[in-house]
Amino acid sequence: MKLYYAAAASFAIASALVSHAASAQTAAEPTTEQQSTSRSSVEDTQEIVVTAQKGAAQTLQSVPMAIQAFTGEELKERNITTIGDLVSSIPGAAEGFRQSNGSRFYNLRGNVTQNGDSPIGYYLDDTPFIVTNFGIAPPVRFLDMERVEVLRGPQGTLYGQGSSGGVFIFHTRDPDLEKVQYAFEAESTKTQGADSLNYGFAGAVSVPIIKDRLAVRVSGGFSQDKGWADAYFGAYDGTPDQKGVNGAKNDDIRVVALLRPADNVNIRAQYWHFRPRQDFTGFTASVEPPYFENTAGQQGFSNGDFTLYSLTGTVDFNGFTVTSATSHLEGEFGINIPLSPAGSFSSQFLPKMFAQELRVNSNGTSPLHWVIGGSYQDGSGPQVNLLTLPGVLINADNDTITKNWAVFGEVSYDLFDGKLVPLVGLRTYHDDRSFRDSTGSVPTKADVVTWRGNLSYLPTDDLTVFISAATGFRPGIVQSRVQVQSLEMVGVNAQVALDPERSTNYELGVKWRSPGRALSIGLNLYNLKYTNLQTSVTGGITSVNGFANFGDATTRGIDLETHWRTPVKGLNLGFVANFNDSKYNTVNPDVLSTVREGDRLINTLGNNFRIDANYTRELADDLEGFGNISLSHSGDRIQTDGRARPYNLANLTAGLRRGDWELALIANNLFDERGPTFIGDSGPNSGQGPTPRTIGLRLRVNSQ
């Protein structure tokens, strides 16, 4: 389907929805009988409340932006336990690069790179997860998640640098100030190709220390996944020298204390420790069968160890709220990649980041809504890099140091009793950054202004239409001189410090739901322009790739979300999709050997979609059956060293629930799809693919 025809059809749908909503204003309210629904249907009709605009809480339906919110219960019902699982439910999102279970990079409406600040902003509650000059996603566990909010498109005004593609906000559960709560889950599964079972367990407990004033919540877990890829001393011959070498472990613990010294004051202190570990990496010589060549007996690993401390305080006054969010992230992430014929590439990151944000927002009933604030970050990203090959020893130790600050604000006003709402926002950002290695220091500075304008029309509680324009910014990647040398070997005139990347997005959005809210439709049409797009390039030195500014580019796309509570009691259907048309408008002459004007963007999906069917049925007194089946499709993508073909994944969850207890059969990648999501330079089947078919049982108990 051509994007132009899809756009025309989408505008027709939007017009029809507006017309339908206008007539629906006079429709009668649903009867008491219509309002009486099953347990799962009641949950579907409840309003989801979000805080994405950093002001007073809003219903998801009324927020004038491309936003999704996933409740903790929805994540559990659909067996979504990681960000990797979640992205298949987000239009235009994909996993762009998976080095290991603790080093994963995601793509949202555009290009993705492995170095540099992430093009997606990640927030754990009210604090950012930032690894300087290395755009890794946080390895969060979803057991104790209240909800996840996903904002698509540039969010430069409220969230600043590193959010040119969008923002993920992970809201964890607060301690309960009144009663004890607990949750626990254990699962055991078998992955195709592994010799033994995977297992994992996780739990959470919340205890009030002083009722209504002080409570503590502790959560965390441990999982071990057995390896399913084999290794050979030499080339593949069908008889592996080592079996199941890519096993993985992951454990984390979160401790949060909530203090309410007065009814209008909340102080939340949090400690979060992650330890993702994996033998070897996600890049195999082949995806079917999966194996590593010339590596048997060598030590390959990709291990992480991160600690986040945060302290958030809010004080509510008559008409406004003051929020302070302070955090400190430190960690260690190391990889060791065996190379043929004898050698290795090792890299160790030792990031630290201090972040502080102070903001004030309106909270009253006035038609004037506003938020103003400032932020400061001070961080470093030391790297210890060593490439060892016969006759070659390259030490590329370096450090990226950044100190940046920003001042931001947004203001909106309810016209015509809130039916028409204009909004404007502005952020000014200053970044002092330097790259240091054994040869000296390369300083860079950036002074950037980002803005947002929005006009929304809300004639009823069930219709929101908006148009918006917004800008985003990502600091320039800094890379080692070895990477520069590696690119020069393939004809790319590279530099240590790249130019910053900017984005501008123009968007039309429609959110509509039927009276009674059985059917909801979300539609977004966007035109996203990138300037100085930063992209990875395959280098001329083994295992040493680099980065370059490819030029300017445009992505035009359509997002679609549909949810239907069908007439069949307990059956709900969902569909999300993205179709886009991307191209390079201008190309940096230094990378003309890689792309040309008019070419499709590197590492950007042409389309993706997901279909979900949820079914819940009461089987007996206090006994409920439930199930979810999903089919997701990831389109093909162009890469600098090949093309990743499209692939489909089918997942299944089916189980029984009695009171707080639940037992479920879980099946991920049901048809054992081996399609690659990344292609290396050794052939069309090399790279990384989805985890092979994994089937098992999960037991849960949940009092909350």
Side-chain angles (χ1 to χ4, degrees):
M1 179 177 64
K2 293 288 188 182
L3 183 63
Y4 310 105
Y5 295 120
S10 301
F11 276 116
I13 292 172
S15 301
L17 294 180
V18 173
S19 176
H20 182 96
S23 62
Q25 282 184 281
T26 60
E29 291 297 319
T31 65
T32 303
E33 181 180 357
Q34 290 171 323
Q35 291 174 337
S36 177
T37 57
S38 68
R39 167 184 163 180
S40 62
S41 297
V42 169
E43 291 175 353
D44 291 337
T45 60
Q46 290 178 345
E47 291 279 13
I48 297 176
V49 175
V50 297
T51 55
Q53 296 198 109
K54 292 192 176 183
Q58 299 170 277
T59 63
L60 180 65
Q61 171 68 23
S62 66
V63 179
M65 62 171 59
I67 178 175
Q68 289 170 276
F70 303 85
T71 66
E73 290 307 310
E74 180 184 1
L75 296 171
K76 292 174 182 177
E77 289 285 341
R78 297 167 63 181
N79 196 35
I80 294 174
T81 60
T82 67
I83 304 177
D85 299 332
L86 183 67
V87 294
S88 67
S89 295
I90 301 169
E95 183 173 60
F97 189 83
R98 185 196 305 181
Q99 194 172 61
S100 66
N101 70 337
S103 177
R104 304 173 76 162
F105 306 80
Y106 298 97
N107 177 316
L108 190 55
R109 288 189 177 179
N111 192 37
V112 65
T113 58
Q114 296 80 57
N115 270 35
D117 290 12
S118 172
I120 297 175
Y122 298 105
Y123 281 75
L124 302 179
D125 296 308
D126 222 4
T127 58
F129 182 94
I130 299 175
V131 178
T132 305
N133 206 39
F134 190 54
I136 190 174
V140 292
R141 188 184 302 274
F142 282 11
L143 169 78
D144 212 28
M145 200 66 63
E146 180 71 28
R147 71 182 182 278
V148 179
E149 298 176 21
V150 180
L151 287 60
R152 306 190 300 271
Q155 306 295 328
T157 303
L158 293 179
Y159 294 94
Q161 84 284 8
S163 60
S164 60
V167 174
F168 285 73
I169 310 168
F170 303 96
H171 294 279
T172 57
R173 289 186 181 273
D174 281 336
D176 193 294
L177 292 169
E178 297 181 356
K179 61 183 183 298
V180 174
Q181 292 183 333
Y182 59 87
F184 175 80
E185 69 177 29
E187 70 176 44
S188 180
T189 59
K190 176 68 164 56
T191 300
Q192 183 73 25
D195 288 339
S196 55
L197 296 176
N198 312 316
Y199 62 87
F201 60 87
V205 61
S206 177
V207 179
I209 307 300
I210 303 174
K211 188 177 180 181
D212 297 329
R213 295 303 178 193
L214 175 65
V216 174
R217 189 178 192 93
V218 180
S219 63
F222 172 82
S223 62
Q224 178 167 302
D225 297 329
K226 299 299 182 180
W228 39 265
D230 302 330
Y232 294 81
F233 283 114
Y236 172 81
D237 62 10
T239 305
D241 298 300
Q242 286 181 284
K243 300 196 69 176
V245 297
N246 61 332
K249 297 179 181 179
N250 195 15
D251 59 77
D252 70 287
I253 185 169
R254 184 175 73 97
V255 181
V256 57
L258 178 62
L259 174 65
R260 186 169 293 164
D263 291 344
N264 67 327
V265 178
N266 282 300
I267 300 173
R268 192 179 193 269
Q270 184 168 234
Y271 164 86
W272 208 336
H273 186 203
F274 314 89
R275 280 203 313 158
R277 290 152 290 159
Q278 181 170 322
D279 296 328
F280 286 83
T281 66
F283 310 125
T284 55
S286 166
V287 295
E288 192 174 7
Y291 63 85
F292 300 90
E293 291 184 315
N294 306 298
T295 56
Q298 301 185 57
Q299 185 183 20
F301 61 81
S302 178
N303 296 334
D305 192 322
F306 300 96
T307 302
L308 176 69
Y309 305 89
S310 65
L311 179 66
T312 302
T314 61
V315 183
D316 292 321
F317 295 97
N318 184 20
F320 66 94
T321 298
V322 180
T323 301
S324 172
T326 309
S327 65
H328 176 76
L329 174 69
E330 61 182 53
E332 178 179 344
F333 180 79
I335 61 171
N336 188 67
I337 303 175
L339 301 176
S340 173
S344 66
F345 173 74
S346 64
S347 182
Q348 186 178 35
F349 296 82
L350 302 166
K352 291 184 179 181
M353 176 63 73
F354 169 82
Q356 170 66 50
E357 180 171 295
L358 179 66
R359 65 178 185 272
V360 184
N361 65 271
S362 60
N363 65 11
T365 59
S366 166
L368 179 66
H369 309 284
W370 50 268
V371 56
I372 57 172
S375 66
Y376 174 77
Q377 295 175 354
D378 184 351
S380 63
Q383 297 184 30
V384 180
N385 302 313
L386 184 63
L387 175 65
T388 304
L389 291 170
V392 177
L393 180 63
I394 299 177
N395 184 313
D397 296 355
N398 61 77
D399 191 7
T400 303
I401 300 171
T402 178
K403 290 185 179 181
N404 62 74
W405 57 266
V407 177
F408 61 89
E410 283 193 349
V411 60
S412 65
Y413 194 87
D414 296 342
L415 299 172
F416 307 109
D417 198 26
K419 289 182 171 57
L420 189 67
V421 184
L423 177 150
V424 293
L426 194 70
R427 186 185 192 100
T428 178
Y429 167 82
H430 176 80
D431 185 24
D432 281 327
R433 188 169 297 218
S434 64
F435 175 83
R436 301 176 183 177
D437 62 10
S438 60
T439 64
S441 177
V442 178
T444 61
K445 289 188 177 182
D447 290 288
V448 178
V449 174
T450 54
W451 51 266
R452 176 187 174 208
N454 188 290
L455 181 65
S456 54
Y457 175 56
L458 302 90
T460 73
D461 290 342
D462 295 326
L463 176 65
T464 300
V465 182
F466 67 88
I467 55 173
S468 70
T471 59
F473 168 78
R474 185 156 70 114
I477 293 172
V478 290
Q479 59 189 336
S480 70
R481 288 178 171 82
V482 174
Q483 290 173 293
V484 172
Q485 178 186 351
S486 184
L487 295 191
E488 290 175 342
M489 291 175 63
V490 294
V492 176
N493 184 21
Q495 54 187 349
V496 169
L498 273 62
D499 292 331
E501 176 183 293
R502 299 171 185 260
S503 56
T504 304
N505 184 54
Y506 303 95
E507 187 151 355
L508 166 67
V510 179
K511 301 178 185 181
W512 172 85
R513 58 192 181 188
S514 64
R517 303 175 186 176
L519 176 65
S520 65
I521 298 174
L523 183 69
N524 297 83
L525 284 75
Y526 61 89
N527 184 19
L528 178 57
K529 296 185 177 182
Y530 288 101
T531 303
N532 291 326
L533 193 62
Q534 302 176 95
T535 307
S536 58
V537 186
T538 302
I541 300 176
T542 301
S543 194
V544 179
N545 297 330
F547 304 88
N549 291 110
F550 270 41
D552 302 338
T554 300
T555 297
R556 297 181 176 92
I558 300 170
D559 292 342
L560 178 65
E561 303 171 60
T562 302
H563 300 279
W564 183 30
R565 190 175 70 250
T566 73
V568 178
K569 186 177 179 180
L571 177 61
N572 301 312
L573 302 178
F575 176 74
V576 298
N578 170 268
F579 304 92
N580 70 80
D581 181 12
S582 65
K583 67 177 182 179
Y584 290 98
N585 301 320
T586 61
V587 176
N588 184 340
D590 294 331
V591 297
L592 280 175
S593 60
T594 303
V595 298
R596 297 186 180 278
E597 291 183 13
D599 285 355
R600 180 173 153 196
L601 263 64
I602 299 294
N603 241 338
T604 299
L605 293 184
N607 56 76
N608 78 315
F609 65 80
R610 173 167 169 151
I611 303 170
D612 275 271
N614 294 284
Y615 184 64
T616 304
R617 180 172 181 175
E618 186 176 340
L619 302 176
D621 290 343
D622 202 29
L623 180 64
E624 186 177 62
F626 65 92
N628 174 272
I629 187 167
S630 67
L631 174 66
S632 61
H633 169 80
S634 293
D636 70 338
R637 73 184 74 181
I638 307 298
Q639 296 180 198
T640 55
D641 52 0
R643 178 190 292 264
R645 68 175 185 264
Y647 65 94
N648 304 304
L649 292 179
N651 296 331
L652 170 69
T653 304
L656 299 172
R657 184 184 295 118
R658 181 187 293 275
D660 296 338
W661 294 81
E662 175 186 298
L663 180 65
L665 168 72
I666 52 178
N668 294 326
N669 193 1
L670 193 58
F671 301 117
D672 202 25
E673 171 65 67
R674 301 298 177 95
T677 59
F678 175 84
I679 293 178
D681 56 10
S682 59
N685 291 324
S686 64
Q688 71 183 57
T691 301
R693 178 172 53 232
T694 301
I695 299 177
L697 293 174
R698 181 189 65 213
L699 175 67
R700 278 183 174 151
V701 59
N702 189 352
S703 73
Q704 51 205 17

